[in-house]
Amino acid sequence: MKAVALKTYLPINNPDSLLDVTLDKPVPTGRDLLVAVDAISVNPVDTKVRAPKDKVESEYRVLGWDAVGRVVATGPEATLFKVGDEVYYAGSIARAGSNSEFQLVDERIVGHKPTTLSNAQAAALPLTAITAWEGLFDRLLIPQSTQASKSKPKTLLIIGGAGGVGSIAIQLAKTLTNVTVIATASRAESAQWCRSLGADVVIDHRKSLQEQLTAQGINAVDYIFCLNNTDQHWVAMSEAIKPQGHICSIVELRGQVDLNLLKNKSVTFTWELMFTRSLFEADDMIEQHHLLNRVADLIDSGKIITTLNQVLSPINASNLRQVHAQIESGTTIGKIVLEKWQ
Ligand SMILES: NC(=O)c1ccc[n+]([C@@H]2O[C@H](COP(=O)([O-])OP(=O)(O)OC[C@H]3O[C@@H](n4cnc5c(N)ncnc54)[C@H](OP(=O)(O)O)[C@@H]3O)[C@@H](O)[C@H]2O)c1
């Protein structure tokens, strides 16, 4: 089967950083599905895993953690899907990725592809939707609207609103909760993108967050979802969060921060990593199957839309290198997808 893979970890402008290769087609066992991959998306995790280092792999390593495809075979213990089903999923960071014609994935982290979307439109969603869903509902514990209807409206600050995760987080928060969504964006086009997805207020993460919130009549926020540069925003988040508020970050720290800044306000800080459930084979791993199906229902009922912004074809090393370079620039709006094998 065709695949894009690496053995060495090189800067993306080096043509050897991602290579077109031919690999053996894998065989499903246990609860695995064998999926024929039709479209993939690229996330910052791809560029972080590919980042230059001295390590050399003995076997080709396939990256890629977002796919849409068709089930072509199932392991003997798989019960949730059958051959021919159209699926979408992010997969596991501990296994070979989706940049290959065929991929094995545990059915408990796979959802049925939204029926109203093209392959490319659907491939934009899984990794970021899982992250946003788990961040908002499993970590920040924001009540969904049915539970919250009688409570006082609350405020959610999403730092990095126009990126892949922000684009779906804004929509899930606006559709499923009663919170007022304040998103950050630093350019006219990214600010407009956030507004188009439903953000109530947009402020600039390159200026003082507190001053801009105060100017909007918002002295402090109940929830903060930090989707970019946790180090840079740490002090500002500690200022902007309400007493007893909740902060969730999805971006690893590069240095050290002062956790004491959150003590007087009794603020809850939590991490979200969307690979946790699959990496540790958590007992509730199947929650990702359920949430991907919920997201597909929201799409198919017209409540939320795809975050796709750009499509390249075919899926090959040259196009993937181009998309990695774009992601590394830190200026991507929405999602970039690659589709079809040549
Ligand atoms: N823990 C997890 O499970 C998980 C899952 C997914 C992603 N992540 C991580 O989350 C981060 C975001 O992922 P993504 O897919 O949303 O990335 P992305 O699509 O590449 O994000 C691009 C956006 O980031 C914004 N941005 C750039 N610098 C910023 C800054 N200093 N502060 C705030 N926003 C800034 C830009 O907005 P402007 O152009 O308006 O500045 C741009 O629209 C990455 O580090 C990724 O590895 C973690």
Short mmCIF file of all heavy atoms in Angstrom, two decimals, residues 42-48 127-128 130-132 134 159-167 184-191 194 204-206 226-229 232-233 249-252 254 271-276 326-335, ligand 1:
data_model
loop_
_atom_site.label_atom_id
_atom_site.label_comp_id
_atom_site.label_asym_id
_atom_site.label_seq_id
_atom_site.Cartn_x
_atom_site.Cartn_y
_atom_site.Cartn_z
N VAL A 42 -4.14 17.39 8.76
CA VAL A 42 -2.85 17.55 9.45
C VAL A 42 -3.08 18.43 10.67
O VAL A 42 -3.81 19.42 10.60
CB VAL A 42 -1.79 18.19 8.53
CG1 VAL A 42 -0.45 18.31 9.25
CG2 VAL A 42 -1.64 17.38 7.25
N ASN A 43 -2.48 18.05 11.79
CA ASN A 43 -2.59 18.79 13.04
C ASN A 43 -1.20 19.17 13.54
O ASN A 43 -0.21 18.54 13.13
CB ASN A 43 -3.28 17.91 14.11
CG ASN A 43 -4.74 17.66 13.78
OD1 ASN A 43 -5.57 18.51 14.01
ND2 ASN A 43 -5.04 16.49 13.21
N PRO A 44 -1.12 20.13 14.46
CA PRO A 44 0.21 20.47 15.00
C PRO A 44 0.93 19.27 15.62
O PRO A 44 2.16 19.23 15.65
CB PRO A 44 -0.10 21.54 16.05
CG PRO A 44 -1.34 22.21 15.53
CD PRO A 44 -2.15 21.11 14.90
N VAL A 45 0.17 18.24 16.10
CA VAL A 45 0.86 17.07 16.67
C VAL A 45 1.75 16.41 15.62
O VAL A 45 2.83 15.90 15.94
CB VAL A 45 -0.15 16.07 17.27
CG1 VAL A 45 -1.04 15.44 16.23
CG2 VAL A 45 0.59 14.98 18.04
N ASP A 46 1.34 16.44 14.35
CA ASP A 46 2.17 15.84 13.29
C ASP A 46 3.53 16.54 13.23
O ASP A 46 4.57 15.90 13.10
CB ASP A 46 1.49 15.98 11.92
CG ASP A 46 0.15 15.27 11.85
OD1 ASP A 46 -0.76 15.63 12.62
OD2 ASP A 46 0.01 14.37 11.01
N THR A 47 3.49 17.87 13.30
CA THR A 47 4.74 18.62 13.18
C THR A 47 5.58 18.48 14.44
O THR A 47 6.81 18.46 14.37
CB THR A 47 4.48 20.11 12.87
OG1 THR A 47 3.81 20.71 13.98
CG2 THR A 47 3.62 20.27 11.63
N LYS A 48 4.91 18.34 15.59
CA LYS A 48 5.67 18.15 16.84
C LYS A 48 6.36 16.78 16.85
O LYS A 48 7.51 16.66 17.26
CB LYS A 48 4.75 18.30 18.05
CG LYS A 48 4.27 19.73 18.27
CD LYS A 48 3.29 19.83 19.44
CE LYS A 48 2.72 21.25 19.55
NZ LYS A 48 1.73 21.39 20.63
N LEU A 127 -9.96 14.80 15.17
CA LEU A 127 -9.03 15.09 16.28
C LEU A 127 -9.44 16.34 17.04
O LEU A 127 -9.47 16.36 18.28
CB LEU A 127 -7.59 15.20 15.77
CG LEU A 127 -6.54 15.37 16.88
CD1 LEU A 127 -5.25 14.64 16.56
CD2 LEU A 127 -6.26 16.84 17.19
N THR A 128 -9.78 17.39 16.30
CA THR A 128 -10.12 18.64 16.97
C THR A 128 -11.47 18.55 17.68
O THR A 128 -11.65 19.15 18.74
CB THR A 128 -10.15 19.79 15.95
OG1 THR A 128 -10.97 19.41 14.84
CG2 THR A 128 -8.75 20.13 15.46
N ILE A 130 -12.78 15.82 19.06
CA ILE A 130 -12.57 15.06 20.31
C ILE A 130 -11.94 15.98 21.37
O ILE A 130 -12.37 16.02 22.53
CB ILE A 130 -11.67 13.83 20.07
CG1 ILE A 130 -12.36 12.82 19.14
CG2 ILE A 130 -11.29 13.17 21.40
CD1 ILE A 130 -11.44 11.69 18.65
N THR A 131 -10.93 16.74 20.96
CA THR A 131 -10.24 17.64 21.89
C THR A 131 -11.20 18.67 22.48
O THR A 131 -11.24 18.91 23.69
CB THR A 131 -9.10 18.39 21.17
OG1 THR A 131 -8.32 17.46 20.43
CG2 THR A 131 -8.23 19.14 22.16
N ALA A 132 -11.96 19.30 21.59
CA ALA A 132 -12.88 20.35 22.04
C ALA A 132 -13.97 19.77 22.94
O ALA A 132 -14.30 20.34 23.99
CB ALA A 132 -13.50 21.05 20.82
N GLU A 134 -13.96 16.94 24.77
CA GLU A 134 -13.42 16.51 26.07
C GLU A 134 -13.02 17.73 26.91
O GLU A 134 -13.24 17.76 28.13
CB GLU A 134 -12.22 15.58 25.88
CG GLU A 134 -12.62 14.23 25.28
CD GLU A 134 -11.48 13.22 25.17
OE1 GLU A 134 -10.29 13.64 25.26
OE2 GLU A 134 -11.76 12.03 24.99
N ILE A 159 -8.85 30.82 23.99
CA ILE A 159 -7.63 31.48 23.52
C ILE A 159 -7.11 30.72 22.30
O ILE A 159 -6.75 29.54 22.39
CB ILE A 159 -6.57 31.53 24.64
CG1 ILE A 159 -7.10 32.36 25.82
CG2 ILE A 159 -5.25 32.10 24.10
CD1 ILE A 159 -6.17 32.43 27.01
N GLY A 160 -7.09 31.39 21.14
CA GLY A 160 -6.73 30.74 19.88
C GLY A 160 -7.97 30.26 19.16
O GLY A 160 -8.07 29.09 18.78
N GLY A 161 -8.92 31.15 18.94
CA GLY A 161 -10.25 30.75 18.45
C GLY A 161 -10.30 30.29 17.00
O GLY A 161 -11.17 29.50 16.64
N ALA A 162 -9.39 30.78 16.15
CA ALA A 162 -9.52 30.48 14.72
C ALA A 162 -8.77 29.22 14.29
O ALA A 162 -8.89 28.78 13.15
CB ALA A 162 -9.00 31.66 13.90
N GLY A 163 -7.99 28.62 15.18
CA GLY A 163 -7.26 27.39 14.83
C GLY A 163 -8.21 26.22 14.70
O GLY A 163 -9.43 26.35 14.85
N GLY A 164 -7.63 25.05 14.44
CA GLY A 164 -8.46 23.86 14.25
C GLY A 164 -9.34 23.56 15.45
O GLY A 164 -10.55 23.35 15.31
N VAL A 165 -8.76 23.55 16.64
CA VAL A 165 -9.55 23.21 17.83
C VAL A 165 -10.52 24.34 18.16
O VAL A 165 -11.70 24.09 18.45
CB VAL A 165 -8.62 22.94 19.05
CG1 VAL A 165 -9.45 22.55 20.26
CG2 VAL A 165 -7.62 21.82 18.72
N GLY A 166 -10.06 25.59 18.09
CA GLY A 166 -10.93 26.72 18.41
C GLY A 166 -12.15 26.77 17.51
O GLY A 166 -13.26 27.07 17.97
N SER A 167 -11.98 26.45 16.24
CA SER A 167 -13.08 26.55 15.27
C SER A 167 -14.24 25.62 15.60
O SER A 167 -15.40 25.96 15.36
CB SER A 167 -12.58 26.22 13.86
OG SER A 167 -11.58 27.13 13.48
N THR A 184 -10.29 34.53 21.03
CA THR A 184 -9.21 35.43 20.69
C THR A 184 -8.72 35.15 19.27
O THR A 184 -8.69 34.02 18.81
CB THR A 184 -8.00 35.33 21.65
OG1 THR A 184 -7.22 34.18 21.31
CG2 THR A 184 -8.44 35.28 23.10
N ALA A 185 -8.34 36.23 18.57
CA ALA A 185 -7.76 36.15 17.22
C ALA A 185 -6.96 37.44 17.02
O ALA A 185 -7.34 38.49 17.54
CB ALA A 185 -8.86 36.03 16.18
N SER A 186 -5.86 37.35 16.27
CA SER A 186 -4.99 38.53 16.18
C SER A 186 -5.01 39.20 14.82
O SER A 186 -4.33 40.19 14.61
CB SER A 186 -3.55 38.14 16.53
OG SER A 186 -2.98 37.36 15.50
N ARG A 187 -5.75 38.63 13.86
CA ARG A 187 -5.78 39.22 12.52
C ARG A 187 -7.24 39.42 12.11
O ARG A 187 -8.12 38.73 12.60
CB ARG A 187 -5.10 38.29 11.50
CG ARG A 187 -3.62 38.08 11.75
CD ARG A 187 -3.07 36.99 10.85
NE ARG A 187 -3.57 35.69 11.21
CZ ARG A 187 -3.65 34.64 10.38
NH1 ARG A 187 -3.26 34.76 9.12
NH2 ARG A 187 -4.13 33.49 10.79
N ALA A 188 -7.45 40.34 11.16
CA ALA A 188 -8.82 40.62 10.72
C ALA A 188 -9.49 39.34 10.21
O ALA A 188 -10.65 39.05 10.53
CB ALA A 188 -8.81 41.69 9.64
N GLU A 189 -8.74 38.54 9.41
CA GLU A 189 -9.38 37.35 8.81
C GLU A 189 -9.66 36.26 9.85
O GLU A 189 -10.68 35.57 9.78
CB GLU A 189 -8.57 36.80 7.62
CG GLU A 189 -7.15 36.40 7.92
CD GLU A 189 -6.14 37.52 7.65
OE1 GLU A 189 -6.41 38.69 8.02
OE2 GLU A 189 -5.08 37.21 7.09
N SER A 190 -8.77 36.11 10.85
CA SER A 190 -9.03 35.09 11.86
C SER A 190 -10.15 35.56 12.81
O SER A 190 -10.97 34.75 13.27
CB SER A 190 -7.76 34.71 12.63
OG SER A 190 -7.06 35.84 13.08
N ALA A 191 -10.20 36.88 13.07
CA ALA A 191 -11.29 37.41 13.91
C ALA A 191 -12.64 37.21 13.22
O ALA A 191 -13.62 36.78 13.84
CB ALA A 191 -11.05 38.90 14.19
N CYS A 194 -13.77 33.61 13.47
CA CYS A 194 -14.36 33.28 14.80
C CYS A 194 -15.80 33.80 14.89
O CYS A 194 -16.68 33.09 15.38
CB CYS A 194 -13.53 33.91 15.92
SG CYS A 194 -11.90 33.19 16.11
N ASP A 204 -8.06 40.28 20.98
CA ASP A 204 -6.76 40.00 20.35
C ASP A 204 -5.78 39.42 21.38
O ASP A 204 -5.48 40.09 22.38
CB ASP A 204 -6.23 41.32 19.76
CG ASP A 204 -4.94 41.15 18.98
OD1 ASP A 204 -4.31 40.07 19.08
OD2 ASP A 204 -4.54 42.11 18.29
N HIS A 205 -5.27 38.20 21.12
CA HIS A 205 -4.34 37.58 22.09
C HIS A 205 -2.95 38.22 22.06
O HIS A 205 -2.07 37.81 22.82
CB HIS A 205 -4.25 36.06 21.89
CG HIS A 205 -4.10 35.64 20.46
ND1 HIS A 205 -5.07 34.94 19.79
CD2 HIS A 205 -3.10 35.83 19.57
CE1 HIS A 205 -4.68 34.71 18.54
NE2 HIS A 205 -3.49 35.24 18.38
N ARG A 206 -2.73 39.17 21.18
CA ARG A 206 -1.42 39.86 21.20
C ARG A 206 -1.50 41.16 22.01
O ARG A 206 -0.52 41.88 22.15
CB ARG A 206 -0.94 40.14 19.78
CG ARG A 206 -0.89 38.86 18.95
CD ARG A 206 0.08 38.87 17.80
NE ARG A 206 -0.12 37.68 16.98
CZ ARG A 206 0.38 36.47 17.25
NH1 ARG A 206 1.13 36.28 18.31
NH2 ARG A 206 0.13 35.44 16.45
N CYS A 226 -7.57 27.14 26.91
CA CYS A 226 -6.33 27.67 26.33
C CYS A 226 -5.83 26.73 25.24
O CYS A 226 -5.42 25.60 25.52
CB CYS A 226 -5.27 27.84 27.41
SG CYS A 226 -3.72 28.48 26.72
N LEU A 227 -5.87 27.21 24.00
CA LEU A 227 -5.54 26.37 22.84
C LEU A 227 -4.24 26.80 22.17
O LEU A 227 -3.96 26.40 21.03
CB LEU A 227 -6.70 26.43 21.82
CG LEU A 227 -8.10 26.21 22.38
CD1 LEU A 227 -9.15 26.29 21.29
CD2 LEU A 227 -8.18 24.87 23.11
N ASN A 228 -3.47 27.63 22.84
CA ASN A 228 -2.21 28.07 22.24
C ASN A 228 -1.31 28.67 23.30
O ASN A 228 -1.77 29.46 24.13
CB ASN A 228 -2.48 29.12 21.15
CG ASN A 228 -1.46 29.05 20.03
OD1 ASN A 228 -0.29 29.32 20.28
ND2 ASN A 228 -1.89 28.68 18.84
N ASN A 229 -0.03 28.31 23.26
CA ASN A 229 1.02 28.96 24.06
C ASN A 229 0.62 29.20 25.53
O ASN A 229 0.47 30.34 25.97
CB ASN A 229 1.41 30.28 23.39
CG ASN A 229 2.82 30.68 23.78
OD1 ASN A 229 3.26 30.37 24.90
ND2 ASN A 229 3.51 31.36 22.89
N GLN A 232 2.79 31.73 27.53
CA GLN A 232 2.56 33.15 27.25
C GLN A 232 1.32 33.68 27.95
O GLN A 232 1.30 34.80 28.45
CB GLN A 232 2.40 33.35 25.73
CG GLN A 232 2.10 34.78 25.31
CD GLN A 232 1.54 34.86 23.88
OE1 GLN A 232 1.82 34.03 23.03
NE2 GLN A 232 0.75 35.89 23.62
N HIS A 233 0.28 32.86 28.02
CA HIS A 233 -1.01 33.34 28.52
C HIS A 233 -1.25 33.06 30.00
O HIS A 233 -2.30 33.41 30.53
CB HIS A 233 -2.15 32.74 27.68
CG HIS A 233 -2.08 33.11 26.21
ND1 HIS A 233 -2.18 34.42 25.79
CD2 HIS A 233 -1.88 32.37 25.10
CE1 HIS A 233 -2.06 34.46 24.47
NE2 HIS A 233 -1.88 33.23 24.03
N SER A 249 -6.01 23.68 29.64
CA SER A 249 -5.08 23.92 28.54
C SER A 249 -4.83 22.62 27.80
O SER A 249 -4.79 21.54 28.40
CB SER A 249 -3.75 24.47 29.03
OG SER A 249 -2.86 24.56 27.91
N ILE A 250 -4.61 22.74 26.48
CA ILE A 250 -4.27 21.57 25.67
C ILE A 250 -2.83 21.65 25.18
O ILE A 250 -2.40 20.77 24.43
CB ILE A 250 -5.24 21.41 24.48
CG1 ILE A 250 -5.12 22.58 23.49
CG2 ILE A 250 -6.68 21.27 24.97
CD1 ILE A 250 -5.82 22.32 22.16
N VAL A 251 -2.11 22.70 25.56
CA VAL A 251 -0.75 22.91 25.02
C VAL A 251 0.29 22.80 26.12
O VAL A 251 0.26 23.57 27.10
CB VAL A 251 -0.65 24.28 24.32
CG1 VAL A 251 0.75 24.46 23.73
CG2 VAL A 251 -1.70 24.39 23.22
N GLU A 252 1.20 21.86 25.94
CA GLU A 252 2.25 21.59 26.92
C GLU A 252 3.07 22.85 27.23
O GLU A 252 3.27 23.68 26.37
CB GLU A 252 3.19 20.47 26.40
CG GLU A 252 3.96 20.80 25.13
CD GLU A 252 3.12 20.71 23.85
OE1 GLU A 252 1.93 20.34 23.91
OE2 GLU A 252 3.67 21.06 22.78
N ARG A 254 6.39 25.00 27.92
CA ARG A 254 7.80 24.93 27.50
C ARG A 254 8.72 25.26 28.65
O ARG A 254 9.87 24.88 28.69
CB ARG A 254 8.04 25.90 26.33
CG ARG A 254 7.47 25.35 25.03
CD ARG A 254 7.72 26.28 23.89
NE ARG A 254 6.93 27.49 24.02
CZ ARG A 254 6.33 28.12 23.01
NH1 ARG A 254 6.47 27.66 21.79
NH2 ARG A 254 5.63 29.21 23.20
N TRP A 271 -5.50 19.66 32.52
CA TRP A 271 -5.00 19.39 31.16
C TRP A 271 -6.06 18.63 30.39
O TRP A 271 -6.86 17.91 30.99
CB TRP A 271 -3.75 18.52 31.20
CG TRP A 271 -2.53 19.18 31.73
CD1 TRP A 271 -1.89 18.90 32.90
CD2 TRP A 271 -1.76 20.20 31.09
NE1 TRP A 271 -0.79 19.69 33.03
CE2 TRP A 271 -0.68 20.50 31.93
CE3 TRP A 271 -1.88 20.90 29.88
CZ2 TRP A 271 0.27 21.48 31.62
CZ3 TRP A 271 -0.94 21.86 29.57
CH2 TRP A 271 0.11 22.14 30.43
N GLU A 272 -6.01 18.76 29.07
CA GLU A 272 -6.75 17.86 28.18
C GLU A 272 -5.77 17.33 27.14
O GLU A 272 -5.08 18.12 26.47
CB GLU A 272 -7.90 18.61 27.48
CG GLU A 272 -8.42 17.97 26.18
CD GLU A 272 -8.94 16.54 26.31
OE1 GLU A 272 -9.26 16.09 27.42
OE2 GLU A 272 -8.99 15.86 25.27
N LEU A 273 -5.70 16.02 27.02
CA LEU A 273 -4.97 15.38 25.92
C LEU A 273 -5.92 14.38 25.28
O LEU A 273 -6.34 13.41 25.93
CB LEU A 273 -3.69 14.67 26.42
CG LEU A 273 -2.95 13.89 25.32
CD1 LEU A 273 -2.39 14.83 24.25
CD2 LEU A 273 -1.83 13.06 25.90
N MET A 274 -6.23 14.60 24.02
CA MET A 274 -7.25 13.73 23.39
C MET A 274 -6.72 12.32 23.15
O MET A 274 -7.50 11.41 22.87
CB MET A 274 -7.82 14.36 22.12
CG MET A 274 -6.87 14.77 21.04
SD MET A 274 -6.14 13.44 20.09
CE MET A 274 -7.59 12.62 19.50
N PHE A 275 -5.41 12.11 23.28
CA PHE A 275 -4.86 10.75 23.12
C PHE A 275 -4.88 9.96 24.43
O PHE A 275 -4.54 8.78 24.43
CB PHE A 275 -3.42 10.83 22.60
CG PHE A 275 -3.32 11.27 21.16
CD1 PHE A 275 -2.59 12.40 20.81
CD2 PHE A 275 -3.94 10.55 20.15
CE1 PHE A 275 -2.48 12.80 19.49
CE2 PHE A 275 -3.84 10.94 18.82
CZ PHE A 275 -3.11 12.07 18.49
N THR A 276 -5.24 10.58 25.55
CA THR A 276 -5.15 9.87 26.83
C THR A 276 -5.94 8.56 26.82
O THR A 276 -5.43 7.51 27.22
CB THR A 276 -5.65 10.78 27.98
OG1 THR A 276 -4.81 11.92 28.05
CG2 THR A 276 -5.64 10.04 29.32
N GLN A 326 2.90 24.97 6.52
CA GLN A 326 1.83 25.93 6.84
C GLN A 326 1.45 25.82 8.32
O GLN A 326 1.32 26.82 9.01
CB GLN A 326 0.61 25.67 5.94
CG GLN A 326 -0.66 26.39 6.38
CD GLN A 326 -0.52 27.90 6.46
OE1 GLN A 326 0.21 28.51 5.67
NE2 GLN A 326 -1.20 28.52 7.44
N ILE A 327 1.27 24.59 8.82
CA ILE A 327 0.90 24.41 10.24
C ILE A 327 2.00 24.99 11.13
O ILE A 327 1.72 25.65 12.14
CB ILE A 327 0.68 22.91 10.56
CG1 ILE A 327 -0.47 22.33 9.74
CG2 ILE A 327 0.48 22.69 12.05
CD1 ILE A 327 -1.85 22.60 10.24
N GLU A 328 3.26 24.76 10.76
CA GLU A 328 4.37 25.26 11.58
C GLU A 328 4.40 26.79 11.63
O GLU A 328 4.96 27.37 12.55
CB GLU A 328 5.72 24.73 11.05
CG GLU A 328 5.94 23.27 11.43
CD GLU A 328 7.29 22.71 10.97
OE1 GLU A 328 8.01 23.41 10.21
OE2 GLU A 328 7.61 21.58 11.36
N SER A 329 3.78 27.45 10.66
CA SER A 329 3.77 28.92 10.65
C SER A 329 2.90 29.47 11.78
O SER A 329 3.01 30.64 12.14
CB SER A 329 3.26 29.44 9.30
OG SER A 329 1.84 29.33 9.23
N GLY A 330 1.99 28.65 12.32
CA GLY A 330 1.11 29.09 13.42
C GLY A 330 0.01 30.04 12.99
O GLY A 330 -0.62 30.69 13.82
N THR A 331 -0.25 30.12 11.68
CA THR A 331 -1.24 31.08 11.17
C THR A 331 -2.44 30.40 10.50
O THR A 331 -3.22 31.07 9.81
CB THR A 331 -0.60 32.04 10.14
OG1 THR A 331 -0.11 31.25 9.05
CG2 THR A 331 0.51 32.85 10.75
N THR A 332 -2.57 29.09 10.68
CA THR A 332 -3.65 28.37 9.99
C THR A 332 -5.01 28.78 10.54
O THR A 332 -5.19 28.91 11.76
CB THR A 332 -3.44 26.85 10.15
OG1 THR A 332 -2.14 26.53 9.65
CG2 THR A 332 -4.49 26.07 9.37
N ILE A 333 -5.96 28.96 9.64
CA ILE A 333 -7.34 29.24 10.02
C ILE A 333 -8.17 28.01 9.65
O ILE A 333 -8.09 27.54 8.50
CB ILE A 333 -7.86 30.50 9.30
CG1 ILE A 333 -7.10 31.74 9.81
CG2 ILE A 333 -9.36 30.67 9.49
CD1 ILE A 333 -7.46 33.04 9.10
N GLY A 334 -8.92 27.47 10.60
CA GLY A 334 -9.67 26.24 10.34
C GLY A 334 -8.73 25.08 10.07
O GLY A 334 -7.64 25.00 10.63
N LYS A 335 -9.15 24.18 9.17
CA LYS A 335 -8.39 22.96 8.92
C LYS A 335 -7.97 22.80 7.46
O LYS A 335 -8.69 23.22 6.55
CB LYS A 335 -9.26 21.74 9.27
CG LYS A 335 -9.62 21.61 10.73
CD LYS A 335 -8.43 21.33 11.63
CE LYS A 335 -7.71 20.05 11.26
NZ LYS A 335 -6.46 19.90 12.02
N1 LIG B 1 -3.87 18.27 24.05
C1 LIG B 1 -4.54 17.90 22.94
O1 LIG B 1 -5.27 16.90 22.94
C2 LIG B 1 -4.40 18.72 21.70
C3 LIG B 1 -5.25 18.48 20.61
C4 LIG B 1 -5.17 19.31 19.50
C5 LIG B 1 -4.23 20.32 19.47
N2 LIG B 1 -3.38 20.48 20.52
C6 LIG B 1 -2.40 21.56 20.51
O2 LIG B 1 -3.14 22.77 20.55
C7 LIG B 1 -2.50 23.78 19.79
C8 LIG B 1 -3.49 24.34 18.79
O3 LIG B 1 -3.89 23.34 17.89
P1 LIG B 1 -4.73 23.76 16.59
O4 LIG B 1 -4.93 22.56 15.77
O5 LIG B 1 -5.91 24.57 16.98
O6 LIG B 1 -3.62 24.72 15.91
P2 LIG B 1 -3.65 25.63 14.64
O7 LIG B 1 -4.88 25.35 13.85
O8 LIG B 1 -2.34 25.50 13.96
O9 LIG B 1 -3.77 27.10 15.31
C9 LIG B 1 -3.55 28.20 14.50
C10 LIG B 1 -4.14 29.42 15.19
O10 LIG B 1 -3.38 29.73 16.34
C11 LIG B 1 -3.54 31.12 16.60
N3 LIG B 1 -2.38 31.57 17.37
C12 LIG B 1 -1.11 31.69 16.93
N4 LIG B 1 -0.31 32.13 17.93
C13 LIG B 1 -1.11 32.30 19.02
C14 LIG B 1 -0.89 32.73 20.36
N5 LIG B 1 0.32 33.08 20.78
N6 LIG B 1 -1.94 32.77 21.21
C15 LIG B 1 -3.18 32.42 20.80
N7 LIG B 1 -3.45 31.98 19.54
C16 LIG B 1 -2.43 31.94 18.67
C17 LIG B 1 -3.62 31.75 15.24
O11 LIG B 1 -4.57 32.79 15.31
P3 LIG B 1 -4.22 34.29 14.78
O12 LIG B 1 -3.78 34.10 13.38
O13 LIG B 1 -5.49 35.01 14.96
O14 LIG B 1 -3.10 34.80 15.69
C18 LIG B 1 -4.10 30.63 14.30
O15 LIG B 1 -5.40 30.84 13.79
C19 LIG B 1 -1.26 23.11 19.19
O16 LIG B 1 -0.15 23.36 20.05
C20 LIG B 1 -1.60 21.64 19.23
O17 LIG B 1 -0.47 20.78 19.27
C21 LIG B 1 -3.45 19.71 21.62
#
